């Protein structure tokens, strides 16, 4: 069931989104060679809690950290630890903030030091995919319009999109209806209406679309060891279009 949000609920999600945007501003300059992913998670958790919010991923089905930190071939759900970032890495920081019972969810893929031109291009195209989807984010369009826009832009650049992980609705829950796949057919899927709050999250793979989960039960990696990038924001569908909740 798709839950349409009231103006009060949307206001609370905006507050969560402001906190999350601030977390990214603090984390990005820390993504340098030698920084551990555990440190990034600890910093993010402190910033979130100091703002009166909760890092919603921590404890979610037993997940042990405040952020997901996915390096290079890790697609999603990389668990922070003592691994140190190296020059040339890319790292996707996926974070959910809960503020007074309401969620904001976003991800950024940061470049560590001097990355290859191939990695640079993948990160750029992944971000572009999000904004291509936004061109269709307005009442009367369908989820398939967003999904198709992501798929077309990624595949035109020579990349693939994961079938295993999708964007989603959110609000009181981290994951609500509808699912927002990164592939689809225009005009198909649920219709977008004013008051819908959704997380659009292109997850773009340099190589094959298949992924696998490591024995820890969380970390998902590309099947071929090639790079993955991830860019996400939470938005609300408005009367005339959309508003991004997780950007300043």
């Amino acid at each position: 069931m798709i839950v349409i949000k009231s103006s009060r609920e949307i206001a609370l999600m905006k507050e969560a989104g402001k906190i999350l945007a601030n977390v990214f501003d603090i984390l990005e300059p820390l993504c340098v060679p030698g920084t551990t992913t555990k440190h990034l998670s600890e910093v993010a958790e402190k910033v979130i809690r100091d703002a009166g919010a909760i890092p919603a991923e921590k404890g979610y089905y037993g997940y042990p950290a405040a952020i997901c930190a996915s390096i290079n071939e890790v697609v999603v759900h990389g668990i922070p630890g003592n691994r140190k970032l190296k020059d040339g890495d890319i790292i996707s920081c996926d974070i959910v903030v809960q503020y007074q019972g309401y969620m904001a969810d976003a991800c950024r893929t940061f470049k560590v030091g001097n990355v290859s031109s191939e990695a640079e291009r993948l990160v750029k195209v992944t971000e572009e995919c999000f904004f291509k989807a936004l061109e269709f984010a307005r009442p009367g369009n369908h989820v398939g319009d967003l999904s198709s826009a992501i798929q077309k832009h990624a595949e035109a650049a020579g990349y693939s999109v994961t079938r295993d992980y999708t964007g989603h609705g959110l609000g009181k829950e981290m994951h609500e209806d509808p699912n927002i796949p990164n592939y689809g057919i225009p005009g198909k899927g649920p219709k977008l209406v004013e008051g819908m709050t959704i997380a659009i999250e292109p997850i773009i793979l340099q190589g094959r679309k298949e992924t696998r989960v490591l024995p820890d039960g969380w970390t998902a990696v590309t099947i071929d060891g090639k790079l993955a990038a991830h860019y996400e924001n939470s938005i609300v569908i408005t009367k005339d279009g959309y508003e991004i909740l997780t950007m300043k």
Side-chain angles (χ1 to χ4, degrees), residues 83-95:
R83 179 175 176 177
K84 293 181 179 179
L85 297 177
K86 302 192 306 294
D87 188 63
D89 283 342
I90 58 173
I91 177 170
S92 299
C93 294
D94 190 1
I95 308 173

Side-chain angles (χ1 to χ4, degrees), residues 111-124:
K111 295 167 284 189
V112 181
N114 301 297
V115 305
S116 68
S117 58
E118 292 84 1
E120 181 100 35
R121 180 172 179 266
L122 176 65
V123 172
K124 180 175 181 288

Side-chain angles (χ1 to χ4, degrees), residues 181-210:
N182 292 312
Y183 63 98
I185 300 171
K188 299 293 185 179
K191 186 176 287 188
L192 303 178
V193 299
E194 183 180 0
M196 282 178 64
T197 49
I198 57 176
I200 302 172
E201 51 180 310
I203 301 169
I204 309 303
L205 311 184
Q206 190 179 38
R208 290 167 53 186
K209 66 180 181 293
E210 295 84 7

Side-chain angles (χ1 to χ4, degrees), residues 23-75:
V23 173
F24 287 132
D25 284 347
I26 291 169
L27 289 188
E28 183 170 17
L30 298 178
C31 291
V32 295
T35 299
T36 67
T37 51
K38 180 181 178 182
H39 180 63
L40 295 176
S41 183
E42 289 171 344
V43 169
E45 180 167 3
K46 185 176 189 307
V47 173
I48 293 167
R49 293 194 186 278
D50 285 352
I54 297 169
E57 286 168 320
K58 191 170 188 178
Y60 185 73
Y61 290 99
Y63 187 77
I67 72 172
C68 294
S70 303
I71 301 173
N72 296 336
E73 78 283 358
V74 179
V75 180

Side-chain angles (χ1 to χ4, degrees), residues 160-164 205 207-211 223-224:
S160 61
V161 296
T162 178
R163 269 61 171 173
D164 301 323
L205 311 184
R208 290 167 53 186
K209 66 180 181 293
E210 295 84 7
T211 67
I223 200 76
D224 52 15

